[in-house]
Amino acid sequence: MALMVKMRSPAHSWARRLVAAVRCTEWATGGKVSARRFGSQRQLVMVEPSPTAGVAVLKLKNPPVNSLSLEFLTELNINLEKLENDKTFRGIIITSDCPRIFSAGLDLKELCGKNPAHYTEYYKALQNLWLRLYLSNLVLISAINGSCIAAGCLISLACDYRILADNPKYVIGMNETRLGLVAPFWFKDNLVNTIGHRASERALQLGLLFPPAEALQVGIVDKVVPEDQVQSTALSVMAQWLAVQDHARHLTKNMMRKSTADLLVKQRDADIQNFISFLSRDSIQKSLQMYLAKLTQNKG
């Protein structure tokens, strides 16, 4: 009997990888389970099978800086939901397909000169993304291969483990105050749960962006590795997490995180209204417009 199990295991593992590859290809090529597209028809999220059975690699692909537009947030939510519902997968490695950047955070163009209905739709999509990531049944590992800023940092914080490339030009953190903005309370809660209250207070008030060595020291990432080892390290770490029984691991994760997520769930509407009220201030709109104009000049 043991011999039969040993003979079947490689084939079973190969079959699982094949199924995963076919499903990821369907998503990428617009098969029947492909993500809903907007007018641009661009593929903003790439889902690929990894060399490890049961693990998908989700790549952020909204150049140049993976800014979180409404289109991008919606496609992320759709793809994450599909992976959650597909029993083929037990884990996801989230990384970037854009050089030198994981994500620069919110798309500020979505926050300027729009109406309250648009702000509501946009902010709900952001809330949904965080809740989906933070409470995911799957093991989520963030393979941070570039700078990871503001809401981009939030994506990585919502994962179970964070690996940052050791490049002095890469930074991670929440810099909202530098733009005259205030991070939502659930951004703060996730950061506090990761690095502690005092370190979070200092980081949020000053809008600190940590280079790799400081990021590791403060605990906002779990590991710093050479840039060419980020993906292989993510696979190695994933194997450690997948060695634990899924059911027990997820129940433990839910026990640790549900109370934090519930704080948002119970006051989602009030949180949206606070966001719209703050964003609609003339001073905030002018500040954002000035910052966008400065970015445009720098590009020119």
Side-chain angles (χ1 to χ4, degrees):
M1 189 69 174
L3 179 60
M4 292 176 63
V5 171
K6 287 180 180 179
M7 291 174 63
R8 282 200 301 248
S9 293
H12 180 66
S13 177
W14 175 86
R16 288 181 62 188
R17 285 196 292 270
L18 178 60
V19 170
V22 169
R23 288 178 177 171
C24 288
T25 301
E26 271 190 317
W27 297 352
T29 56
K32 62 182 180 180
V33 292
S34 63
R36 177 167 65 94
R37 301 285 184 224
F38 288 71
S40 68
Q41 296 294 311
R42 293 184 300 152
Q43 184 182 357
L44 303 178
V45 177
M46 297 172 59
V47 178
E48 302 172 350
S50 80
T52 301
V55 178
V57 178
L58 187 152
K59 294 183 178 180
L60 310 179
K61 189 182 179 183
N62 187 25
V65 295
N66 281 329
S67 56
L68 300 175
S69 64
L70 178 57
E71 179 182 3
F72 193 21
L73 286 172
T74 302
E75 193 161 326
L76 268 172
N77 275 311
I78 289 171
N79 279 276
L80 287 166
E81 182 178 12
K82 288 174 180 172
L83 288 167
E84 283 275 359
N85 293 333
D86 189 334
K87 301 309 179 185
T88 305
F89 297 104
R90 299 175 62 204
I92 308 173
I93 295 171
I94 301 177
T95 191
S96 171
D97 193 59
C98 296
R100 300 178 297 280
I101 188 79
F102 182 83
S103 173
L106 300 185
D107 186 343
L108 298 184
K109 295 188 294 294
E110 299 278 10
L111 307 181
C112 283
K114 302 292 196 302
N115 58 47
H118 176 85
Y119 296 145
T120 297
E121 183 181 10
Y122 182 72
Y123 197 64
K124 278 185 177 179
L126 181 63
Q127 290 177 328
N128 288 340
L129 178 64
W130 180 72
L131 289 170
R132 186 173 298 284
L133 290 168
Y134 196 65
L135 297 176
S136 176
N137 292 343
L138 305 177
V139 177
L140 303 183
I141 293 179
S142 185
I144 308 168
N145 52 348
S147 290
C148 184
I149 299 168
C153 179
L154 181 75
I155 290 175
S156 69
L157 287 175
C159 293
D160 298 293
Y161 198 93
R162 286 159 291 284
I163 302 162
L164 176 62
D166 192 6
N167 185 321
K169 294 182 179 180
Y170 296 167
V171 293
I172 182 171
M174 294 183 172
N175 67 336
E176 283 83 354
T177 53
R178 296 190 185 187
L179 305 180
L181 301 175
V182 177
F185 74 87
W186 38 285
F187 282 49
K188 177 266 298 180
D189 290 343
N190 199 164
L191 186 64
V192 168
N193 288 351
T194 306
I195 67 172
H197 192 280
R198 176 55 187 154
S200 297
E201 185 176 16
R202 180 171 173 269
L204 288 171
Q205 289 196 47
L206 297 177
L208 297 181
L209 296 175
F210 301 99
E214 292 181 29
L216 184 62
Q217 182 178 26
V218 78
I220 202 168
V221 299
D222 299 294
K223 190 181 286 287
V224 171
V225 300
E227 196 159 0
D228 61 355
Q229 296 178 23
V230 170
Q231 298 302 322
S232 61
T233 303
L235 288 171
S236 176
V237 170
M238 179 66 78
Q240 296 174 9
W241 286 71
L242 294 184
V244 177
Q245 187 185 65
D246 288 340
H247 183 66
R249 180 196 53 75
H250 178 247
L251 285 176
T252 303
K253 178 177 181 176
N254 195 62
M255 176 179 66
M256 297 293 295
R257 295 189 171 199
K258 189 175 185 299
S259 60
T260 298
D262 282 348
L263 293 175
L264 172 59
V265 172
K266 292 175 182 177
Q267 50 185 320
R268 289 189 72 170
D269 291 341
D271 182 47
I272 292 170
Q273 291 308 311
N274 287 338
F275 174 77
I276 294 173
S277 177
F278 179 80
L279 194 61
S280 299
R281 295 178 186 175
D282 289 340
S283 60
I284 299 301
Q285 285 293 308
K286 288 178 181 177
S287 176
L288 290 173
Q289 289 165 7
M290 288 175 61
Y291 185 76
L292 283 171
K294 184 178 179 181
L295 287 178
T296 302
Q297 289 176 358
N298 290 340
K299 289 180 181 178

